[in-house]
Each structure stands twice: as C-alpha cells, then as structure tokens.
Amino acid sequence: MKVRFLMIAFVLLFACGKKEEKLTEKEKTQETQTIQVVFQKVQDFVEATGSVQPDKEGVVKITSRLPGVVQSINVQVGDKVKKGQLLAVIKAPDTTDLYSQKISLTAQLEQSKRLYELKQKLYEIGAIPKSELMDAETNYKVIKAQLEGVEQKLRLLGGGMGVSNVRSPIDGVVYQISAHVGDSVDTSTEIMSVADPKRVMVVALLPEKDAFKVKRGNTVEFSISIYPDRNFKGIVKYVSDVVDPETHAVKVYIEPLEKEPFKINMFFNIKILTGEKEYAVLPKKVLLYQDGKFYVYLLENGKLEKKEVVFVKELEDGNVVLEGLQEGQKVLLNPMREVSP
C-alpha cells in the first residue's frame, strides 16, 4: 500500500513538471516580440575621406634654366611665395665659362671698335680700300652680337657668377618639392611645383563598389574637426574611370563651393549625396553581429530563421538601414535576449 502511494505521488509530480515546462514554452512564445519590415525612402550617400589638392591647371612646374647641381632650396612645402621670390639656387658650372666669355668678348669688342673707327678715318682719306673697312665693320658687329648673347644668357640664369637662381613665376603655395640639395638637374627636371591656392579641388578615394553610385553633379558635404560647427558643400566634377590596382579605389574630383578655409593637403570627411532610395528601416537592436557579418532572425510559420543582411548605415534617430529583407517580413526585435547563443 505504501509503495503504491509513492508510485502515484511520483506520477503526479512528473505530470506537474511536464505541465510547467509546457507553460514556460508557451509564455516564451507569447513574450517573443517581432517587428514588421517596412521600407522607407532614405537619402542615400557614400562616405569617404578626401584631401585638398590643387587643380592641375593651377600648378606650375619649376625647373632650372641651366643644367647643374642643386646648391640650396629656400622654401618648404606649404610656404606661401610671391612672384619673383627666390626658390632655389643651382650651381651651374656653365655660368663660370659664360662669365669668362663675357670678360674676353668685352675686351675684344673694345679693340674691334677702335679698329673699326680707325679704318673709317683711313677710308675717308683714301688710305685703304672699302673692303678693309667692311671687314673691320663685320668683325665689330660679330663680336658685339656674341657679347650680347652671353649677357642675355647670364641674365636668364640670374646674373650670378657660377649659379642659376630659380624664382617663382606666380604668387602661390609650394605644393611639392621633388629635388634635394646635391641632386643633378637639367632643364627638364622638375625641382618643385607652386600651386595657385584659389584653384583647388577635393579628391576623394572611394571603394570600387561605391564609386558606381557617384555621378557628376552630385552634391557633396564636407566636415572637419577643427571647424565642428561648419558644414561645407561642393559638387562632383569628375569620377575617374581608372581603378587603382593595389587599393581598388577610384578617385572622385570635387569642386568646393567656397575656397576658404580649404588649404592644400588638408583632410576632410566627405559625404556624397547620391539621391533617395527605398531601404528596410528597423531598430538597431534587431541586428546581430557575428564573424564580421550582420544577421537578423525572421519569424516565419512559427519558426525562427537566421538571415544575413547588408548593413547600409545608421540614421540619426538610431534606426538602421538594411538590405536583404522583404517588406512585410517579421523580424525578431531583440535577438540578443530571445535567442540562446
């Protein structure tokens, strides 16, 4: 009798446990919260960083007028320079020879001039034939032309003895210095470049997958930490059709609508507005991030299904914009709490 009572008690206890477990599962189902996928028009944009660079037409390449060796560079990248300002000095041995030629030709010219004047007087009194006078005149003119040529070369080279002075042809900013003291240069070697600060572009590097979204004429917004309260604007002028084989990036050239405080080599955060597009917009907490990918849980026919999605961006209201979902689907609202890892 005692054994039979124990068996009945055990069966009742087991049944109660089963009932409690079923209630718990039912309660869990009731507590599971979902949200319906809704599509909204969202301002689409591409984000990148970009640097201020001079417009190609606003850059002047600086070269030496004579082959030689760089003796000194008198400026640094970023320096403001005036037209005619000394930028560099080139040690040019040829100018030493030119200076020696000038001294020699000056003496020869003086002598030939005296001889020519003497021949004129002798010809006037009939002491010499006209041919001698013409020879003296020709010799004088040849030496004079040679001296003028040497003097012009020296003026072009800065007039210094043994050096060529390199000066800025415009008011601008030193954009790049390509040569160093001690380098050998010739008339085609770029020593440095000077840029017109009023003719600048912003060049952004976009991933190849985003570059196709950008078109000429797209509006651009710029921001920079040193001016937190200012929002600058610009226009896309050109999208390169060349992809860098190493970085897989595409250059986008943007014209800022205002030139201040844009300075060459300054870096900006860039947002290129590419128009409106419909996306799934959901609360941020629907997302799970695992192994470098984003997921949500769909509730379909009473079952949960893990679904990979593409995270596009986060909106200012805290919602997120996603790709890979269909309108009307039900998404688990808080998978971090509802689903065991």
Side-chain angles (χ1 to χ4, degrees):
M1 188 72 177
K2 186 177 181 181
V3 173
R4 184 178 179 184
F5 175 81
L6 289 173
M7 289 180 66
I8 293 172
F10 179 80
V11 170
L12 290 173
L13 183 61
F14 181 81
C16 290
K18 278 288 186 180
K19 183 178 180 182
E20 182 179 350
E21 183 180 347
K22 288 182 179 179
L23 287 174
T24 303
E25 290 299 326
K26 183 177 180 181
E27 289 169 358
K28 284 184 178 181
T29 302
Q30 290 174 344
E31 290 176 0
T32 299
Q33 294 183 346
T34 60
I35 187 169
Q36 193 170 11
V37 175
V38 176
F39 274 63
Q40 298 179 18
K41 284 187 176 181
V42 178
Q43 176 64 64
D44 204 12
F45 59 84
V46 175
E47 291 184 302
T49 58
S51 61
V52 180
Q53 298 181 16
D55 188 332
K56 290 182 179 180
E57 296 180 358
V59 178
V60 179
K61 295 181 179 180
I62 308 299
T63 59
S64 174
R65 292 175 178 172
L66 193 74
V69 176
V70 179
Q71 179 173 295
S72 66
I73 294 177
N74 298 40
V75 292
Q76 296 180 346
V77 172
D79 284 355
K80 292 183 178 180
V81 295
K82 295 290 185 181
K83 182 177 180 179
Q85 181 176 331
L86 181 65
L87 303 178
V89 177
I90 308 300
K91 180 68 175 177
D94 288 357
T95 56
T96 303
D97 295 338
L98 288 172
Y99 193 79
S100 299
Q101 289 178 39
K102 178 184 176 182
I103 295 173
S104 175
L105 288 170
T106 301
Q108 291 179 45
L109 183 65
E110 186 64 29
Q111 184 179 354
S112 66
K113 182 181 179 181
R114 287 198 300 267
L115 181 61
Y116 173 50
E117 291 172 347
L118 176 61
K119 295 285 185 178
Q120 281 181 317
K121 291 178 181 178
L122 291 174
Y123 175 73
E124 289 173 358
I125 62 176
I128 60 172
K130 187 175 182 179
S131 59
E132 281 194 37
L133 174 62
M134 293 181 65
D135 288 343
E137 182 183 11
T138 299
N139 184 55
Y140 168 71
K141 289 182 177 179
V142 169
I143 295 174
K144 183 179 180 181
Q146 290 176 342
L147 178 59
E148 288 175 350
V150 170
E151 288 177 337
Q152 184 175 1
K153 286 182 180 180
L154 285 171
R155 283 195 297 272
L156 290 173
L157 297 171
M161 183 176 172
V163 298
S164 171
N165 293 325
V166 179
R167 300 183 182 276
S168 177
I170 63 169
D171 292 346
V173 176
V174 178
Y175 173 56
Q176 191 172 32
I177 297 178
S178 307
H180 304 84
V181 173
D183 287 353
S184 296
V185 297
D186 58 29
T187 56
S188 64
T189 305
E190 182 180 336
I191 299 171
M192 65 182 70
S193 57
V194 176
D196 184 345
K198 296 179 181 179
R199 304 179 67 175
V200 297
M201 301 286 285
V202 176
V203 181
L205 293 176
L206 295 185
E208 184 179 0
K209 65 180 181 63
D210 291 333
F212 77 94
K213 301 178 183 177
V214 179
K215 308 295 181 186
R216 182 176 180 178
N218 284 154
T219 300
V220 184
E221 296 178 353
F222 306 94
S223 63
I224 188 169
S225 59
I226 59 175
Y227 298 106
D229 298 327
R230 296 187 64 179
N231 189 27
F232 307 96
K233 293 187 180 297
I235 299 292
V236 173
K237 301 299 290 184
Y238 175 69
V239 180
S240 175
D241 53 5
V242 178
V243 179
D244 188 296
E246 295 184 1
T247 62
H248 298 286
V250 176
K251 287 185 177 181
V252 177
Y253 297 85
I254 304 161
E255 181 179 2
L257 297 185
E258 53 186 308
K259 304 303 181 182
E260 292 292 339
F262 286 58
K263 300 184 185 301
I264 293 173
N265 294 326
M266 180 181 284
F267 277 85
F268 281 84
N269 295 315
I270 296 172
K271 183 187 290 186
I272 304 175
L273 308 181
T274 57
E276 289 188 337
K277 184 177 178 181
E278 287 199 343
Y279 288 102
V281 179
L282 294 166
K284 186 177 181 180
K285 60 183 178 180
V286 305
L287 279 179
L288 278 177
Y289 182 74
Q290 295 176 347
D291 301 323
K293 297 180 180 180
F294 291 96
Y295 299 91
V296 298
Y297 272 90
L298 299 178
L299 183 61
E300 295 182 347
N301 300 321
K303 295 182 179 180
L304 291 176
E305 176 188 349
K306 188 177 180 182
K307 169 74 173 176
E308 183 181 350
V309 293
V310 177
F311 176 83
V312 178
K313 60 187 173 183
E314 182 174 355
L315 301 178
E316 293 180 357
D317 60 6
N319 288 332
V320 290
V321 179
L322 305 176
E323 287 184 335
L325 296 172
Q326 296 179 8
E327 192 162 10
Q329 289 180 313
K330 291 184 178 180
V331 176
L332 200 60
L333 186 61
N334 197 339
M336 291 291 290
R337 186 185 68 185
E338 303 282 353
V339 181
S340 299

